[in-house]
Amino acid sequence: MTYNSGQFPATRLRRLRQSPALRRLVCETRLSAAQLVLPFFARAGRKVRRAISAMPGVFQLSPDELLKDAARAHELGVPAVLLFGIPDQKDTRATGAYASNGVVQRVVRLLKRELPELLVITDVCLCEYMSHGHCGIVQKDKRGARILNDPTLKLLAQTATSHAEAGADMVAPSDMMDGRVAAIRQSLDRAGFTDTPIMSYAAKFASAYYGPFREAAESAPKFGDRRSYQMDAANASEALREVALDIQEGADIVMVKPALAYLDILHRVKTEFGLPTAAYSVSAEHAMIKAAAANGWIDERAVTLETLLAMRRAGADILITYAAADVAGWLKEG
Ligand SMILES: [Zn+2]
């Protein structure tokens, strides 16, 4: 370390805090709209705008309404969106996930046609499309239900490739099956999408912070939980192994999810690997701030910005947040 270890009174750290201009000059971490990704929940229909009770300001949107909100966010400076789909029909093979006219595929085509400069990232998973709500194929026998890893990879790869065929700029697998990044990379390459990047949910923890999202994406498991594939909240070293494997398999960007309760993981991932690193500030992080703000207990803008700054300071280059449009607006105001 080469930091200044001077002593008082020659050294006074308050000297550089005297004015806004001085403080800006020595500011170590900055928030910029260019780092933001706004998630959307797409469903079929027209003029559908269904509020999600535990996520104020977030809606399930039909393609026409989603386009309006995406255009508004893009105008405010949000460069990218992340799409989740809610299909009309669910089954045990997640058919809707890789249907060429599935809801996500249709929204991707619409957004790329109307807002060609907006980066369209698609979440790649099967849970919203499975009647049982799990992220993989389920096998039930006398011992109970198991989520099958290897047969699921094919469906995930098919889903990612169908998103790329629709025009997605990037795919983001969130299922936590082993080997899925390699399977997706291979499938994309074989279909000619060698330039489509993969942002992997590399360290995704089984978290109580996902509560409100399950209502938003209608993806709550009908039995059991996701602890046989998502990570144990107690494990940090294992998170590094997960990230290392995804990088070996071809991930271009790695993600830590959730963000706020996992800042140590973010820091270690960024320090250890140096890849572009994303933090997903999840539904309950959003809900907690919204609820406290609605009660007048906190300043929503100040707390939101400070929270995102903490993620940046911990090592995040990319911030996925339901507040992205608000944040972009606030940053514009200065
Ligand atoms: Zn899933």
Side-chain angles (χ1 to χ4, degrees):
M1 288 295 251
T2 55
Y3 57 82
N4 185 337
S5 56
Q7 282 188 346
F8 177 82
T11 299
R12 290 176 185 268
L13 294 185
R14 288 186 56 195
R15 279 187 201 122
L16 296 179
R17 295 176 200 153
Q18 291 183 75
S19 69
L22 254 181
R23 290 194 290 273
R24 271 199 296 275
L25 198 66
V26 299
C27 174
E28 296 176 32
T29 313
R30 289 172 211 271
L31 274 181
S32 148
Q35 297 150 340
L36 299 170
V37 178
L38 178 59
F40 277 109
F41 300 98
R43 67 177 310 141
R46 271 179 56 81
K47 295 199 186 320
V48 178
R49 181 169 286 270
R50 197 178 291 182
I52 297 154
S53 58
M55 299 173 73
V58 182
F59 302 86
Q60 291 182 352
L61 299 168
S62 53
D64 52 326
E65 294 291 317
L66 198 155
L67 173 63
K68 280 187 216 163
D69 285 18
R72 200 174 309 134
H74 192 42
E75 221 164 276
L76 286 166
V78 175
V81 297
L82 174 61
L83 300 179
F84 295 86
I86 302 128
D88 289 332
Q89 305 279 335
K90 297 176 190 244
D91 55 34
T92 56
R93 300 286 303 173
T95 314
Y98 42 87
S100 62
N101 63 344
V103 63
V104 164
Q105 289 81 353
R106 272 183 284 150
V107 170
V108 168
R109 278 187 223 109
L110 177 68
L111 291 177
K112 290 314 296 180
R113 190 178 69 220
E114 301 295 327
L115 303 167
E117 274 161 40
L118 178 71
L119 272 175
V120 176
I121 309 169
T122 55
D123 178 87
V124 175
C125 199
L126 307 176
C127 47
E128 301 106 288
Y129 306 89
M130 289 286 203
S131 42
H132 47 63
H134 277 288
C135 303
I137 294 171
V138 168
Q139 185 174 59
K140 278 185 174 168
D141 54 30
K142 282 180 241 111
R143 288 169 298 161
R146 284 187 309 135
I147 318 301
L148 302 181
N149 193 89
D150 299 8
T152 298
L153 299 181
K154 198 172 151 222
L155 300 189
L156 291 166
Q158 221 172 317
T159 303
T161 304
S162 79
H163 292 171
E165 277 162 0
D169 296 299
M170 193 187 303
V171 294
S174 63
D175 51 282
M176 290 299 280
M177 297 298 129
D178 287 323
R180 91 278 207 211
V181 172
I184 289 172
R185 185 71 273 160
Q186 220 173 50
S187 170
L188 287 172
D189 289 357
R190 217 177 288 140
F193 298 106
T194 51
D195 290 334
T196 303
I198 298 174
M199 173 166 72
S200 76
Y201 289 64
K204 182 179 180 184
F205 291 86
S207 170
Y209 282 85
Y210 302 151
F213 176 95
R214 305 236 161 110
E215 179 198 342
E218 297 180 8
S219 62
K222 297 278 188 292
F223 53 85
D225 55 38
R226 295 198 167 98
R227 288 174 194 279
S228 77
Y229 42 106
Q230 295 178 353
M231 285 191 56
D232 187 331
N235 293 359
S237 303
E238 189 192 356
L240 297 187
R241 293 186 70 195
E242 280 285 4
V243 173
L245 278 171
D246 280 11
I247 294 171
Q248 275 171 22
E249 291 177 29
D252 301 280
I253 298 174
V254 289
M255 189 202 299
V256 175
K257 181 183 183 181
L260 190 53
Y262 298 83
L263 294 181
D264 59 319
I265 309 288
L266 258 179
H267 186 251
R268 290 180 67 176
V269 166
K270 184 63 189 181
T271 308
E272 180 85 14
F273 302 103
L275 247 70
T277 303
Y280 197 138
S281 181
V282 302
S283 55
E285 298 176 40
H286 178 77
M288 291 191 300
I289 291 179
K290 284 287 189 185
N295 276 296
W297 296 338
I298 59 168
D299 176 335
E300 180 180 350
R301 171 177 167 158
V303 170
T304 302
L305 292 176
E306 186 175 330
T307 304
L308 293 175
L309 193 65
M311 293 164 199
R312 290 271 301 124
R313 202 181 58 232
D317 305 292
I318 299 164
L319 302 167
I320 304 168
T321 165
Y322 299 100
D326 289 339
V327 170
W330 295 332
L331 293 174
K332 230 174 199 176
E333 288 165 22

